Amino acid sequence: MRIISNIQQMQALAITLKREGKRIAFVPTMGFLHQGHASLLREGRRQGDILVLSIFVNPIQFGINEDLDRYPRDMERDCRIAAECGVDVVFTPDAVGMYPPGFQTGVTVRDISLPLCGASRPGHFDGVATVVTKLFNIVQPDVALFGRKDYQQLAVIRRMVTDLSMPMEIVGMPIVREADGLAMSSRNAYLSEEQRQSALCLHRSIVIARKLFSDGERSADAIKKAVLETIGQESLIMVEYIELRDGNSLEEQEIVDNATLLALAVKTGQTRLIDNTVLGEEL
Ligand code: PAF
């Protein structure tokens, strides 16, 4: 496994590999890898001749009061997990290389970036779209893999790749959960034991919503109410949003159908957690 920090070196390697006809699979991350990332890497290993993992905590996707400075980092452990998953190249650029003095270009994916997480994190998806575009230009993947836990991020990237005719395939991979149902996230490292227990209400409410849907409930309001009742029982959890939206366009839906996204965001202490499910879809 090679570790490359230099942008030009990574790009030159990618160009050479492409000339040799190699298919590059790419998993972009901010590090502090968990089993969710490992599932992306294993699928990437299956889909590509060469598997590239990037680790870069992207400053421009964090708001001023967010957790950029305390975002968890553990390069040694990440490299161990990467090696176990068969990664060929770990790309670890630094912020000055990615955003040199004078940097002033950004990518905005308009409407789909605005609701849900975009409403409480203004500019967040511009930061994501911009860094992912840069990473794609450097790594030149044939296929890039993203987790469906960040459902809106995946929708934004799919839209961007289509709109800008980027020549690659985007694969969305299922949410990976702990045994007790908590969706895996690097930010789970912030949770106290008490907060973690409270956070289980997210998955509990998803199970209830899925049961209501399979029993025939189609009113978005009724499903939202049941989810809110479940989450509302936890005093340590503050709801940011509970929304039902079209799984592709992310437009609001009053009547739930087979591809309706139920998206949840909450806060416990300083930690923001998100989770989701697509109603009508097999898990
Ligand atoms: O999902 C993430 O870890 C990040 O948002 C991404 C896609 C690596 C961009 O910084």
Side-chain angles (χ1 to χ4, degrees), residues 7 47 66 160 182 245:
I7 292 174
Q47 295 214 11
E66 292 183 2
M160 175 182 87
L182 186 67
R245 291 184 172 256

Side-chain angles (χ1 to χ4, degrees), residues 203-222:
H203 182 241
R204 219 163 38 238
S205 73
I206 283 176
V207 172
I208 289 169
R210 292 186 68 88
K211 173 80 169 68
L212 281 173
F213 181 81
S214 70
D215 289 349
E217 183 59 76
R218 293 295 179 268
S219 152
D221 276 347

Side-chain angles (χ1 to χ4, degrees), residues 28-30 58 61 128 131-132 146 150 153:
T29 77
M30 299 204 300
N58 174 35
Q61 72 186 70
V128 170
V131 81
V132 169
F146 295 86
D150 295 304
Q153 168 171 282

Side-chain angles (χ1 to χ4, degrees), residues 175-184 196 200 202-203 275:
I175 296 175
V176 178
R177 297 181 181 279
E178 304 279 359
D180 58 12
L182 186 67
M184 293 210 182
R196 198 185 174 292
L200 298 181
L202 288 173
H203 182 241
D275 204 340

Side-chain angles (χ1 to χ4, degrees), residues 42-57:
R42 288 200 192 94
E43 180 60 18
R45 182 64 284 167
R46 230 179 45 76
Q47 295 214 11
D49 302 314
I50 298 290
L51 175 58
V52 180
L53 160 73
S54 69
I55 297 177
F56 177 60
V57 181

